[in-house]
Amino acid sequence: MHNWDFAATLGDIDFLLLGLWNTLQVFGLALVFGIPLGLAIALGRMSRIPVLSQLCSFVIEFFRTTPPLVQLFWFFFALPILISVQMTPFVASVLTFSIQSSAFFAEIFRGGINSIDKGQWEAAKAIGMTRPVCLRRIILPQAVKRMIPAFAERSIELLKTTTLISTVSYADLMFQANELASKTFRPLEVYTVVAVMYFFLILVFSQLTILLEHRLARSGEGTLR
Amino acid sequence: MQHTWNFASVFAYWDVLLIGLWGTVYLFVLTCVIGLAGGLVVGMLRYSKNGWISYPARLYVEVFRNTPVLVQIIWFFFALPVVIGVEVSAFMAAFLGITLNTIAFSAEVFRGGIQSIEREQWEAGKAIGMSYAKTMRRIILPQALKRMLPPLTSRGIEVFKMSTLASVVAYPETLQQAKLIASYEYNPIEAYTVVAIMFFLVLLPMVQLTYLLERRFGKSD
């Protein structure tokens, strides 16, 4: 029977916390870049210009159907040769996850905007608003409220996907865990602690989501019945 | 600098890629089938009114939904052998990680689908003398399955993409084989582009199917 000994793991908890901080950095930046990019792609897909709309559809489908790990490898190993620049694991990770999540966010934006009643567009037009003004002032404020649960779910998925960046040697939580496991020869304790850390991190996020959904349900705008 | 694309150096190893594709499909079919079947069981347990049954099921679902699959695979590969004292193969680790994760996610889909069926249907089943199990099998599930079809298909697509994570523990699936080719031939651009296109071509019809299912079953019955 194995003798559980968390002393070595907990003694180096700073090392793991540094990894956690790096994970959160990539996660945060991917959201900061991914959400506006997602909106842009969604608007492109809904545009009346066929070339633009087809191009955006293709980008969405391509990034939704290829595994994130393949994308990461492509951006890390292939892109630097193609455009002959140095690629750090950090830049490759942020780039991959911004673009990957923007494809998913685009679909959420599109669904949200489409869910708004056509009459709203017509009313705005009737009082002389242009399409962009109507989108900004009438449609998006209503749509964003409906999109929040889907956004939160996607963000949690993104947080879990960031573990992949350990494979390109970026010092995220998972990578630090691998290092610590080989340093202390205590894989069981290290990986268990890391699993628990991820569990609580994501649990906090998902509980916040549930709270938010209930809050939105009360104001009559949620998706919860 | 202009890169000259040389896909011949990838296609020369088509048999290596084919082994990888087989590895991917094999892992996908096993994890998907067992994951969905297990999800149905856990979903029904989760729906049970008996707290001793529904609470452990809920705990299981939360644990596996709230931890990254990669952490689970690595845990099964490196940590589990320490506990049970037996080597865990790369396939077994990937299989366990992805299956247990799929069970947790599909359990929620099944539970949501069963819950979405109106209470009257249960009462009607009871009124004509059907047992709980019989009502579930004959009345509730056939209706619920129709509603669950779109989310289950998207889950299947996710599982297919998840199979690439098995490359981290060196299970020979498509991405792992591409890594091999890239390190032999120094052609990461072509190798990884080919893998991306392979996944795109396999999954695009499946995504289109999801859209179709959503239009047919999504809103109304």
Side-chain angles (χ1 to χ4, degrees):
Chain A
M1 193 54 213
H2 179 72
N3 226 343
W4 290 77
D5 179 11
F6 283 102
T9 310
L10 295 179
D12 262 333
I13 196 83
D14 294 358
F15 191 65
L16 292 179
L17 288 177
L18 176 69
L20 182 65
W21 168 238
N22 287 338
T23 292
L24 289 175
Q25 269 184 319
V26 171
F27 172 64
L29 283 176
L31 282 183
V32 166
F33 294 124
I35 292 177
L37 191 59
L39 178 60
I41 296 176
L43 292 178
R45 184 169 186 178
M46 290 187 296
S47 133
R48 297 212 186 92
I49 308 163
V51 183
L52 184 63
S53 130
Q54 273 157 17
L55 184 74
C56 289
S57 300
F58 177 76
V59 169
I60 292 173
E61 296 305 350
F62 193 80
F63 280 92
R64 272 165 42 117
T65 51
T66 47
L69 193 55
V70 175
Q71 294 163 11
L72 184 63
F73 278 14
W74 199 90
F75 278 112
F76 187 63
F77 295 112
L79 189 66
I81 306 177
L82 217 52
I83 58 172
S84 58
V85 290
Q86 278 287 340
M87 187 65 96
T88 65
F90 177 72
V91 174
S93 311
V94 172
L95 197 62
T96 308
F97 290 115
S98 300
I99 298 177
Q100 196 245 355
S101 54
S102 76
F104 283 91
F105 285 135
E107 283 300 273
I108 299 174
F109 271 116
R110 193 173 63 98
I113 293 172
N114 276 343
S115 81
I116 302 295
D117 195 56
K118 233 183 173 49
Q120 302 273 340
W121 285 101
E122 285 159 7
K125 203 173 177 184
I127 58 168
M129 279 188 180
T130 60
R131 242 177 100 84
V133 173
C134 167
L135 187 72
R136 208 177 61 235
R137 293 219 191 138
I138 313 284
I139 306 298
L140 275 183
Q142 298 182 73
V144 165
K145 250 178 158 178
R146 294 188 186 173
M147 291 184 280
I148 284 174
F151 264 134
E153 204 186 308
R154 192 59 226 164
S155 306
I156 291 171
E157 277 304 307
L158 175 64
L159 184 57
K160 288 192 279 183
T161 323
T162 57
T163 48
L164 302 188
I165 60 190
S166 62
T167 57
V168 293
S169 303
Y170 176 70
D172 79 322
L173 181 52
M174 195 65 213
F175 182 82
Q176 299 290 81
N178 291 337
E179 293 281 291
L180 197 59
S182 53
K183 206 171 78 181
T184 59
F185 298 103
R186 290 248 164 225
L188 177 59
E189 287 83 354
V190 172
Y191 290 122
T192 305
V193 166
V194 166
V196 170
M197 283 168 82
Y198 273 114
F199 175 77
F200 280 107
L201 184 64
I202 295 166
L203 189 70
V204 167
F205 268 102
S206 58
Q207 292 307 311
L208 284 177
T209 314
I210 293 169
L211 264 176
L212 201 62
E213 272 182 70
H214 280 279
R215 177 72 191 77
L216 288 175
R218 239 188 304 151
S219 70
E221 282 288 349
T223 43
L224 212 68
R225 267 176 299 170
Chain B
M1 187 197 79
Q2 190 62 45
H3 177 75
T4 36
W5 293 77
N6 176 18
F7 281 108
S9 64
V10 178
F11 292 124
Y13 291 90
W14 64 272
D15 47 341
V16 177
L17 277 178
L18 210 61
I19 293 173
L21 191 61
W22 166 243
T24 299
V25 171
Y26 183 67
L27 186 64
F28 165 72
V29 170
L30 278 181
T31 50
C32 205
V33 169
I34 299 175
L36 290 183
L40 179 61
V41 174
V42 175
M44 289 200 297
L45 294 180
R46 177 104 165 61
Y47 187 67
S48 160
K49 284 188 192 87
N50 185 340
W52 290 101
I53 298 173
S54 71
Y55 199 74
R58 180 164 173 211
L59 187 70
Y60 166 82
V61 168
E62 291 300 332
V63 166
F64 279 91
R65 267 168 44 121
N66 288 344
T67 46
V69 194
L70 189 59
V71 176
Q72 290 161 18
I73 293 175
I74 300 267
W75 196 92
F76 285 120
F77 192 64
F78 291 110
L80 188 62
V82 183
V83 183
I84 58 172
V86 185
E87 279 279 301
V88 175
S89 70
F91 171 76
M92 209 45 186
F95 170 76
L96 280 175
I98 299 174
T99 305
L100 293 176
N101 192 270
T102 309
I103 290 177
F105 270 96
S106 53
E108 284 299 276
V109 176
F110 283 115
R111 186 183 61 95
I114 294 171
Q115 250 170 13
S116 79
I117 302 296
E118 294 74 18
R119 192 153 290 282
E120 289 78 19
Q121 302 276 339
W122 284 101
E123 285 160 7
K126 206 172 179 183
I128 55 168
M130 280 187 176
S131 67
Y132 179 86
K134 214 171 207 176
T135 316
M136 181 70 104
R137 206 179 65 235
R138 293 221 186 138
I139 313 282
I140 306 299
L141 277 184
Q143 299 182 72
L145 269 176
K146 227 164 79 175
R147 294 186 187 174
M148 291 184 285
L149 223 43
L152 287 181
T153 339
S154 354
R155 203 63 233 155
I157 293 170
E158 283 300 311
V159 175
F160 197 84
K161 291 193 288 177
M162 239 184 245
S163 68
T164 52
L165 299 189
S167 69
V168 175
V169 290
Y171 170 70
E173 49 72 66
T174 315
L175 183 60
Q176 174 66 19
Q177 301 294 86
K179 262 198 236 173
L180 275 185
I181 298 173
S183 60
Y184 275 137
E185 291 286 328
Y186 303 108
N187 58 352
I189 306 185
E190 289 85 357
Y192 294 131
T193 307
V194 167
V195 174
I197 293 172
M198 278 167 79
F199 272 93
F200 178 67
L201 290 182
V202 171
L203 288 180
L204 190 64
M206 268 170 84
V207 172
Q208 301 299 333
L209 180 72
T210 325
Y211 290 150
L212 200 77
L213 288 174
E214 254 162 36
R215 266 204 298 278
R216 272 206 68 176
F217 300 126
K219 298 260 158 56
S220 65
D221 284 272

